[in-house]
Amino acid sequence: MVSKRTEDMSSFIVMDVLERANEMERGGVSVIHLEVGEPDFDAPACIRDAVCRALDEGHTHYTHSLGLLELREAISRYYGKTYGVGVDPDQVLVTSGSSPAILMIFAALLEPGNQVILSDPHYACYPNFIRFVQGRPVTIPVSEEDGFQFKPEAIRSKLSADTRAILINSPSNPTGNLLSARRMKEIAAIAADSDDLYVVSDEIYHGLVYEGKAHSILEFTDRAFVVNGFSKQFAMTGLRLGYLIAPKAYLRPIQKCQQNFFISANSLVQKAGVAALSSAEKDVENMRNTYNKRRRYMIERLKALGFGITREPTGAFYVFANARHLSDDSYALAFDILENAHVGVAPGIDFGSNGEGYLRFSYANSLENITAGLDRVEKYLRSRDWPLEK
Ligand SMILES: Cc1ncc(COP(=O)(O)O)c(C=O)c1O
């Protein structure tokens, strides 16, 4: 029998959309992908070269379970330079993408029944990580009118003796919005007021911010775990490189998880991580400028098509558009758009029940494809006599 723990895990719906799109493509249909959450750029040349060089130099062995010291030092310098915070390399543990970092943090923090507070909508996989280690996700709806920001007072009202963590993600997937410094400070203060409460801050979209500034939680408190990685900012999704920064008391327990479950992250890719942090600044700036042009275009075009965007997203590469005037079943709507307009979009329900009625459009695709994709959506809406104005 399949274990209940895996049986109960929900699928990542956007992957279902992608798989159906791939099936259609195999049947000869051209699909435009605005559903996927990964950079369309290849990793910059300095990163690819570093992988090849590391291979030539024979870096084909296990590394230290915490990760190469060289990389942990580079991460520590990066946090110092970017946010003005002191991170000891011994607080850093390098992982194969940020996903194992999330899993191990919750494994180290939660006893069965402990709660983690998170916003709704949220990154689709979070509740599954929490449940997998027998924790309980406690969601707080955030509203479009408030820029999908977490309200500190709403967090306070959900605290209980079982609450062990508040999970934040700024810039956010799926909304593309940032948490203000003021609210982060207040959230940090909530953690500091309780005995055994931590902020877990997923900073994976840092570096992809077009207006305003992303703050690290470490600017406001040490009672925090940081999750970060190279997938998004450095376009390294397939290379699988991430890391966590943890309070020192938690490092050893998490290191034991890493040793047992994963041993170490990929040695070649860790070398590439050092190159990314030291030499890819210009490449990241170019990607960011390109994303920003697409962002501006996509927002204007979606608004003209009648989608609701109250607060324009300023980070990551997503627009979370209100489509309630079209349907209150985002799953059916996303698949209808896929089948009839041949455009992949992510249904809001994938990101929590409060995401129902929204569609997530990704601009991690060329301007040409975004334009063609939104032309198709326009044609689809017109063919159904659906209102183009809200
Ligand atoms: C908010 C967020 N966190 C974590 C991840 C996992 O990324 P990776 O494991 O590639 O580092 C993703 C991927 O889409 C994400 O959107």
Side-chain angles (χ1 to χ4, degrees):
M1 239 196 352
V2 176
S3 73
K4 191 166 153 41
R5 186 186 287 137
T6 48
E7 188 74 2
D8 286 353
M9 195 176 293
S10 53
S11 76
F12 196 179
I13 301 175
V14 66
M15 289 299 161
D16 295 344
V17 175
L18 179 63
E19 280 157 26
R20 173 65 192 134
N22 292 153
E23 194 176 274
M24 289 165 65
E25 285 170 325
R26 282 194 296 277
V29 176
S30 119
V31 176
I32 293 176
H33 294 276
L34 304 181
E35 77 280 38
V36 276
E38 77 162 328
D40 54 316
F41 300 104
D42 294 336
C46 64
I47 294 172
R48 288 181 274 132
D49 290 347
V51 176
C52 297
R53 213 168 33 249
L55 185 60
D56 286 344
E57 289 169 1
H59 292 284
T60 55
H61 303 269
Y62 291 137
T63 69
H64 193 288
S65 56
L66 293 178
L68 292 175
L69 181 59
E70 190 189 0
L71 177 57
R72 290 186 288 123
E73 285 173 346
I75 291 166
S76 145
R77 276 196 304 276
Y78 174 74
Y79 263 75
K81 188 170 140 212
T82 315
Y83 308 105
V85 297
V87 172
D88 190 321
D90 286 345
Q91 284 177 264
V92 179
L93 186 141
V94 178
T95 49
S96 302
S98 70
S99 305
I102 300 172
L103 184 65
M104 289 191 289
I105 289 170
F106 288 131
L109 264 179
L110 304 181
E111 295 292 351
N114 280 169
Q115 299 174 358
V116 177
I117 293 179
L118 70 162
S119 67
D120 181 359
H122 50 69
Y123 171 49
C125 305
Y126 288 149
N128 285 325
F129 285 112
I130 297 165
R131 287 195 201 102
F132 197 72
V133 295
Q134 295 180 288
R136 270 192 46 211
V138 173
T139 53
I140 294 183
V142 290
S143 76
E144 180 184 334
E145 292 66 34
D146 197 25
F148 296 108
Q149 282 199 65
F150 229 157
K151 272 199 174 65
E153 56 273 23
I155 296 175
R156 280 194 195 278
S157 73
K158 291 274 187 174
L159 291 178
S160 80
D162 286 327
T163 314
R164 289 299 310 282
I166 303 162
L167 175 55
I168 61 173
N169 171 220
S170 167
S172 137
N173 177 7
T175 72
N177 287 23
L178 271 77
L179 255 178
S180 69
R182 182 178 61 79
R183 292 199 195 193
M184 284 180 79
K185 200 169 163 184
E186 285 173 37
I187 292 169
I190 295 174
D193 281 352
S194 299
D195 264 354
D196 205 11
L197 181 59
Y198 291 83
V199 184
V200 177
S201 177
D202 182 345
E203 305 187 350
I204 193 163
Y205 288 101
H206 281 215
L208 299 180
V209 174
Y210 317 102
E211 290 173 41
K213 186 172 174 337
H215 291 275
S216 171
I217 192 64
L218 298 178
E219 294 171 51
F220 308 103
T221 182
D222 293 335
R223 225 20 137 70
F225 293 80
V226 166
V227 173
N228 207 333
F230 294 76
S231 287
K232 314 290 175 170
Q233 174 171 198
F234 297 105
M236 286 171 63
T237 43
L239 297 182
R240 311 305 303 131
L241 188 64
Y243 56 93
L244 60 84
I245 303 172
K248 280 199 175 148
Y250 280 89
L251 237 288
R252 181 67 186 150
I254 296 176
Q255 182 186 14
K256 285 190 288 177
C257 291
Q258 167 93 335
Q259 288 172 336
N260 278 281
F261 301 152
F262 310 112
I263 301 184
S264 73
N266 178 308
S267 52
L268 308 176
V269 172
Q270 290 190 59
K271 286 281 186 188
V274 176
L277 291 175
S278 62
S279 316
E281 208 168 321
K282 191 76 202 143
D283 299 287
V284 170
E285 191 185 324
N286 289 341
M287 289 191 274
R288 190 166 46 232
N289 290 339
T290 306
Y291 285 132
N292 194 23
K293 287 191 193 113
R294 300 168 179 177
R295 176 182 74 104
R296 293 248 50 94
Y297 174 79
M298 186 178 258
I299 290 172
E300 290 318 314
R301 190 76 199 278
L302 287 174
K303 280 185 177 171
L305 291 178
F307 290 97
I309 301 167
T310 307
R311 287 272 195 94
E312 297 185 356
T314 56
F317 34 61
Y318 306 113
V319 181
F320 203 55
N322 191 328
R324 289 204 179 112
H325 59 300
L326 300 175
S327 170
D328 52 15
D329 182 344
S330 60
Y331 184 89
L333 181 61
F335 275 91
D336 202 52
I337 292 174
L338 176 63
E339 297 294 338
N340 295 292
H342 303 163
V343 177
V345 294
I349 188 68
D350 203 11
F351 309 98
S353 55
N354 195 42
E356 185 52 294
Y358 289 82
L359 294 175
R360 189 194 72 178
F361 292 82
S362 161
Y363 47 90
N365 203 335
S366 67
L367 197 53
E368 198 186 355
N369 282 341
I370 293 170
T371 307
L374 295 180
D375 285 349
R376 290 183 187 185
V377 172
E378 177 167 355
K379 204 164 147 216
Y380 162 86
L381 292 175
R382 288 189 190 284
S383 75
R384 274 160 175 67
D385 280 340
W386 270 339
L388 292 191
E389 298 296 325
K390 275 224 303 181

